[in-house]
Every structure is written in C-alpha cells, then in structure tokens.
Amino acid sequence: MGDSTKRIPQPVVKRLTRYLTQLQALLERGDEWVSSDELADAMGLSSSTVRQDISHLDFSGISKRGYATQGLADVLMRVLGADSPVNVVIVGAGNLGRALALHGNFSRSDIHICAVFDADPKVVGSRIGSIKVRPMRDLPKVVQANNVGIGIIAVPGASAQTVADHLIAAGVAGLLNLASTHILAPRDVAVVDTRILASLRELCYAIKVAPRGKSRT
Amino acid sequence: MGDSTKRIPQPVVKRLTRYLTQLQALLERGDEWVSSDELADAMGLSSSTVRQDISHLDFSGISKRGYATQGLADVLMRVLGADSPVNVVIVGAGNLGRALALHGNFSRSDIHICAVFDADPKVVGSRIGSIKVRPMRDLPKVVQANNVGIGIIAVPGASAQTVADHLIAAGVAGLLNLASTHILAPRDVAVVDTRILASLRELCYAIKVAPRGKSRT
DNA sequence: TAGATTGTTAATCGATTAACAATC
DNA sequence: TAGATTGTTAATCGATTAACAATC
C-alpha cells in the first residue's frame, strides 16, 4: 500500500514518469486495463519492478485483471504533480531554446512556457511562435508575477552558471539544465541535467565496448 | 589499479563523462593538477566517489598532488572512445533536429554529424548550416558509406519506433532518442533516452515534495 | 619530517530481483 | 473452480560511503 508521506526514491520517480507516458498512450488506444507484465514489456523492465514501483503509490490493482489504466494515470499525475499547471521560463533564445519553446508536447500538457529570455539585444523583441523574447532584466519581474516554478537553461556552458544564479535569485524552485556544464545550486533548488552531449559520449562508450555483431556473454 | 578488460558500471561511465567535461574546462584555465576533492566539489560528489571512479581507469594520481589534468583527460578520452571520431546522423529536421545539427559543441569534438534526414518531401533538400536534408530512402546508403555509428532520433514520439527500426536496419550501433516514447531495440544496439519532458516531470515532483523555503530534515 | 592525498578495503546503504501467499 | 495476477516479503545484487594504511 502506498504511503503518500514518504519521499519516493529518485530511480522510482524516473520510472513513474515513464509509466505515465506509456499509460497515456494506452488510454489513447482505449485500453482500460494493463498488467504489470504488459507495462514491463513495453518499457524493458521486469514485472516485479513495476509492481514494486506502483506499491509506492496509493493505488491498488486487481488480481487477474491488472491496473485500471485511467485510475493509475490519474494517481501518477497527482503524485508527480502533473495535475497542477507549472509555469516555466526559458533562458536562451538560440536554436535549442527556440526548439523547446515551439515543442508541441508542452502545450498539450500542464507545463506552460510563459516567457523566453535572452541576453543578446539583437534577439530581444523577436518572436518565437506566439512568445516574444524578453531582455534578461525582466526576469525577476516575470518570475514573480507568474509564480514561475522552473527555469530552463538553454545557453552555452560558459554562461550557464550565471543564468542559473539569476534564475535562483528570481525565485524558481527547479532548473532544467540543457548546457553541458554542471551547475551549482543551493540544496532547496532542484537541478536536473539533460546532458545531451554526455549521453552521446555514453553511447560512444557503449558501442566501443560492445560493438554490434560481437555477442555479449 | 584500473583493469581495462572489465566493463565499467553505467553510473560510473555517466560520471566519467562529466569528469571529462570538467577536466577540459580546467585545462583551458591552465590547471595542471586537480585533486579528487576539487573534482568532487565542482560536481557535487564526494572525493571518495571520485577516487573510486578513477580506480576503474588505468591511471594513477600522485599523493599530495592529485591527478595530472592532461593525463587524466587523455585516459578518459581513450576509455570513453572520445579519441576516435564517430559519425552520427540525425533523423528529423524539425526544430530539435536543426538545433542539434547546428550545435557548436559537436564540431569541436570527435562527434561528427554527417547527415540529416527527414520524411517530409517539403523539408528534404533544404539546408541546415552546411548540411543538406536528405530523404529517408538515402539512409541505408549513407550509414554504410560513412560507417555511421550513432543515429539521433529527433522526430515526434509517434514515429520514433519506426525511425529507430530504420536506423537499426541500416546498421547503427547506438541510438540517442530525443522523443519522449520508449524505444525497443535488440540487445546489441545501445539506446540512450534523453527524455527532456520526463526530466521536467521529475522537476515538478521535486519542487512539489520539497518547495523552496520549506527546509528539509 | 609532517602533512596531504591517493588507492583500496570493508561497511553501509539502497535498489532490484525472486518467490510466493493472497485474492479475484 | 482453476488460473492469473497482484502485493509483499526476503534474498540478492550493486553502488556509495567511510576509513585508513600507503606514499609522495
């Protein structure tokens, strides 16, 4: 039985976000029930892990039938905080910042991008879709006025820490760091690094130690 | 002492890629030596973890002085496969694909983006920087001709699996998946998900359970 | 030398997996 | 009912941390 008072471990939270994505796909297909085994198969896990993870939630499946897709999705939304909208700002109106601001998935979700900022006066004032790029000095004002919870850092590594400091000072509670450098933040500010370049390096290592064709033991 | 025959655990590889980034920054600053403690501080780890990680490598520090920055960087490059160039293709010439193709960091590294593909005939033929967008039917040819090791999936979730299948059939050994859906691949193909949307959900959870100001125990 | 820092072992911690009784 | 699937406990596995002797 789930105990909503306990903090859910990070690896479990990571998987829960994936379950939610998967459940939403199942809902679109009209599947009313899903078993731990089906979920596990779809995401490359064992059914044991899935059940263990779900046991962190305040939600029960039914023997022989599995989990109610809609019900589980609802609980996950609530637990992950995906049921209440979050305001987000993006700093950096370069290619990556633009791509994120235009990314359709956000508009369909509870994540609302309410402003894009850039330090370059030449970029300030231009439009990304329906969003106007604003100067950095507006940051504190916008963050406070819109109760912005998350700042997305989409600037080169060299300025990432400075931008982070500004966002933290403005009052955001979480940072999504798209730059490749590590960011230092006080403990009460959550930081998630996407590290795309690092992921590529991981891949390079993986294909080096286990090239295709060479079967592993 | 490092044993180059043993596979390095995934969490360690992840951190090694970060060490490399950090070391390269230190090199630019001209630092010749770095201690486990300094590295740990810069990345929010303990010095014990850093030493433990480095012990996987065939590299020794020197008591009282630490690690030779250049030497450690060199070994990391070799171990991670960052010393030999890798050819990469991007599938999807949308905002995200374009952003990646134009991303400066790659050109400065051993990662070489040699082609961008798109299924949309309206996009095929257009240019992204110096790269021309090619039709999907050219994929197998290009992958084989350039010995492409990694395919980057920058398409919407709905077509991600199809694109993955094409890339796998063409012969890539690794996939970087920027779509939010999970991808199934044979065991000899490495897959790394970036899951930007999932990272944002993680952040939502983090700021929900531990909002700023509410000090944790 | 004395002190700082590595390399490594052992202890702790936490996550995953296996197994199975409970149950629909 | 018989069989499938959950929920949960216990066992395993692996990663992190702590500690400290070796060493420059």
Side-chain angles (χ1 to χ4, degrees), chain B residues 1 35-36 51-52 60-61 63-64 66-67:
Chain B
M1 186 194 35
S35 70
S36 57
R51 290 199 300 280
Q52 188 75 272
S60 291
S63 294
K64 208 181 157 177
Y67 304 96

Side-chain angles (χ1 to χ4, degrees), chain A residues 83-98:
Chain A
D83 55 344
S84 51
V86 186
N87 286 326
V88 175
V89 296
I90 297 175
V91 179
N95 295 304
L96 204 48
R98 297 187 109 80

